[in-house]
């Protein structure tokens, strides 16, 4: 059984807001992280508890729902131990995201804290909860994208990991594509928040000495019109424009550019890689070039691609449940989070440290940052104390929107 109820403000008892618990025992929901009775604890291994906060409602739900689909496919074990997954809806709101994080990490005295937390699909939500990971000494795996969530490394970020490729990696792939196509003058149009700023900086660094950025414009996620920004960009006469936005919110800038007469190439980030972008963009987004991970193009990857096997295995699993062509960047990242945790928990389990303790969380954090050569759907993870993202060039591919579909471009 997999049912979802909205989370509530912290002032209410947190277990009332518990949404989903997938346990080894028939995957039935439980009311909270209650500690097992002594006899039961002696008879069976203690489960690894993972809190998952996703935007299942609100503006970012197009990202959260893709992630939830993958979480529903998580196996009922981690590292050979039984696992319990508790999923809360943050409603795309920072206050609810913080409440969820504290519900996972600061349960009632008779409860058990989560051994790890996964989720927070947008950068503003992730930024809001980041300090709580270190304060409660809880490993936290973000599904949001901004590189500033994991760098520069400091005491807070030491407890935080991130599945999505860093912007600088993807920006280099996009700039290389622009150079190969002979573009010289380009423009930038992105969100006016941390996501947009991270991409602006990444583009400037990647383009240095290769391309000239002739215009830069920003807009709020809630914008209803972008005519002024589009007109200023078009007046600068770029050959290509990079839009830095996510999901359906990335359609408006591209549609406005087309409506105002821009005939050049539009590039987008891996933040668009959802069915909603295609559905809402329709003909306006045809021909878009974008960066994404291997999972989006699993069956088109060359056999020698290092993540080909992991990408195809995930595509088979995911499409077997949700249908052909349903794999997205976000669903792949969410499943990759399970693979990363599974690998790390197995390392900790060999030491005999029991879940449900601070010692387990400390050991898990160490195991996570020492992960090497782990294949996940979107690449090969090589983490270190200085790098809590860990993907390399194999994780940055160029795709295109053609005939209303995402396709791989052997650039």
């Amino acid at each position: 059984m997999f049912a979802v109820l909205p989370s509530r403000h912290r002032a209410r008892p947190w277990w009332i807001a518990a949404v989903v618990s997938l346990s080894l025992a028939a995957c039935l929901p439980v009311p909270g992280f209650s500690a097992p009775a002594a006899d039961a604890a002696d008879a069976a291994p203690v489960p690894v508890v993972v809190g998952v906060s996703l935007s299942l409602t609100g503006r970012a739900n197009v990202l959260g729902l893709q992630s939830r689909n993958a979480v529903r496919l998580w196996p009922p074990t981690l590292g050979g131990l039984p696992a319990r997954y508790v999923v809360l809806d943050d409603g795309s709101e920072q206050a609810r995201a913080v409440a969820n994080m504290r519900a996972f990490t600061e349960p009632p005295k008779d409860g058990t804290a989560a051994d790890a937390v996964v989720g927070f699909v947008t950068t503003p939500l992730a930024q809001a909860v980041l300090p709580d990971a270190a304060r409660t000494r809880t490993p936290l795996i973000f599904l949001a994208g901004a590189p500033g969530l994991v760098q520069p490394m400091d005491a807070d970020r030491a407890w935080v990991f991130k599945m999505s490729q860093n912007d600088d990696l993807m920006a280099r792939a996009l700039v290389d594509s622009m150079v190969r196509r002979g573009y010289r003058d380009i423009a930038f149009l992105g969100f006016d928040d941390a996501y947009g700023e991270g991409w602006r900086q990444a583009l400037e660094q990647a383009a240095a000495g290769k391309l000239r950025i002739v215009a830069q414009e920003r807009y709020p996620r809630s914008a209803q019109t972008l005519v002024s920004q589009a007109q200023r960009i078009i007046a600068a006469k770029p050959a290509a424009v990079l839009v830095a936005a996510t999901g359906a919110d990335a359609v408006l800038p591209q549609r406005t550019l087309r409506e105002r007469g821009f005939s050049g190439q539009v590039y987008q980030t891996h933040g668009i890689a959802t069915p909603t972008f295609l559905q809402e963009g329709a003909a306006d987004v045809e021909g878009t070039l974008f960066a994404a991970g291997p999972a989006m193009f699993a069956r088109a990857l060359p056999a020698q691609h290092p993540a080909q096997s992991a990408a195809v295995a995930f595509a088979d699993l995911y499409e077997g449940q949700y249908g052909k062509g349903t794999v997205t960047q976000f669903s792949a990242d969410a499943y990759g989070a399970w693979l990363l945790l599974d690998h790390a928990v197995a390392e900790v389990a060999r030491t005999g440290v029991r879940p449900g303790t601070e010692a387990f969380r400390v050991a898990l954090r160490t195991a996570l940052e020492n992960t090497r050569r782990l294949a996940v759907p979107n690449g090969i993870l090589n983490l270190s104390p200085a790098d809590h993202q860990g993907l390399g060039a194999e994780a940055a591919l160029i795709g295109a929107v053609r005939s209303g579909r995402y396709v791989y471009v052997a650039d």
Side-chain angles (χ1 to χ4, degrees):
M1 181 178 179
F2 200 108
V4 178
L5 301 174
S7 64
R8 293 291 185 263
H9 191 273
R10 175 65 176 158
R12 293 185 63 180
W14 79 266
W15 58 89
I16 293 178
V19 186
V20 179
S21 178
L22 303 182
S23 66
L24 188 61
C27 291
L28 293 175
V30 297
F33 299 158
S34 57
D39 290 344
D42 292 340
V46 177
V48 179
V49 177
V50 180
V52 184
S53 182
L54 300 173
S55 298
L56 303 179
T57 57
R59 194 169 190 89
N61 76 325
V62 65
L63 312 181
L65 292 173
Q66 300 298 314
S67 301
R68 182 196 61 182
N69 286 347
V71 171
R72 285 175 164 173
L73 299 177
W74 285 4
T77 61
L78 282 167
L81 298 177
R84 182 189 302 167
Y85 312 123
V86 179
V87 181
L88 296 178
D89 175 20
D90 56 44
S92 309
E93 298 173 5
Q94 291 187 29
R96 289 173 65 177
V98 171
N100 289 354
M101 183 66 180
R102 292 179 181 172
F104 295 143
T105 59
E106 302 176 68
K109 291 182 179 180
D110 60 347
T112 302
D115 297 296
V117 176
V118 175
F120 308 104
V121 298
T122 70
T123 298
L125 300 182
Q127 288 177 319
V129 304
L130 192 155
D132 284 336
R135 183 177 59 79
T136 61
R137 299 170 71 81
T138 305
L140 170 58
I141 301 177
F142 282 136
L143 300 180
L149 297 172
V150 291
Q151 62 186 35
M153 187 55 62
D154 59 18
D156 282 348
R157 293 179 178 88
W159 287 86
V160 172
F161 302 83
K162 184 169 76 74
M163 295 309 301
S164 180
Q165 300 92 326
N166 282 340
D167 298 343
D168 56 352
L169 175 67
M170 304 304 256
R172 288 194 296 271
L174 291 170
V175 165
D176 287 347
S177 173
M178 295 174 187
V179 170
R180 283 192 293 271
R181 285 170 168 75
Y183 302 138
R184 174 60 181 167
D185 292 348
I186 65 169
F188 174 84
L189 177 55
F191 284 156
D192 64 355
D193 59 13
Y195 185 85
E197 178 59 19
W199 265 99
R200 186 193 66 79
Q201 294 179 13
L203 179 63
E204 285 189 344
Q205 293 167 5
K210 299 178 180 179
L211 300 168
R212 185 173 66 152
I213 302 174
V214 297
Q216 297 187 36
E217 295 290 337
R218 310 291 290 278
Y219 71 100
R221 291 178 185 247
S222 59
Q224 300 299 309
T225 178
L226 295 175
V227 172
S228 296
Q229 291 94 328
Q231 289 177 332
R232 287 191 291 268
I233 284 178
I234 292 171
K237 299 182 178 180
V241 177
L242 172 62
V243 175
T246 59
D249 290 328
V251 172
L252 178 62
Q254 187 161 346
R255 175 173 289 145
T256 306
L257 286 168
R258 295 302 188 207
E259 289 174 346
R260 293 291 153 173
F262 180 69
S263 59
Q265 180 63 56
V266 176
Y267 282 84
Q268 294 265 6
T269 74
H270 51 310
I272 69 164
T274 67
T276 305
F277 177 79
L278 297 178
Q279 293 160 5
E280 297 201 10
D284 292 320
V285 301
E286 186 69 18
T288 302
L289 294 175
F290 67 103
M296 291 283 298
F297 320 112
R299 295 184 182 86
L301 295 174
Q304 66 270 24
H305 191 284
Q308 194 254 6
S309 295
V312 170
F314 173 66
D316 287 345
L317 175 66
Y318 193 86
E319 292 180 347
Q321 181 68 33
Y322 302 109
K324 184 178 179 180
T326 54
V327 170
T328 67
Q329 172 81 29
F330 304 96
S331 60
D333 283 342
Y335 199 81
W338 181 86
L339 291 169
L340 175 58
L341 279 172
D342 181 61
H343 180 271
V345 168
E347 294 294 318
V348 179
R350 282 192 276 272
T351 70
V353 179
R354 290 168 63 87
T357 64
E358 182 175 316
F360 184 89
R361 299 196 303 273
V362 171
L364 181 59
R365 191 207 71 84
T366 300
L368 286 167
E369 76 172 11
N370 285 302
T371 298
R372 303 286 189 276
R373 298 180 296 280
L374 177 66
V376 296
N378 273 329
I380 307 299
L381 290 175
N382 285 290
L383 303 175
S384 72
D387 182 1
H388 280 195
Q389 202 294 305
L391 291 173
E394 82 289 337
L397 305 179
I398 298 297
V401 176
R402 292 179 180 166
S403 301
R405 297 172 51 245
Y406 294 121
V407 300
Y408 175 53
V409 177
D411 222 12

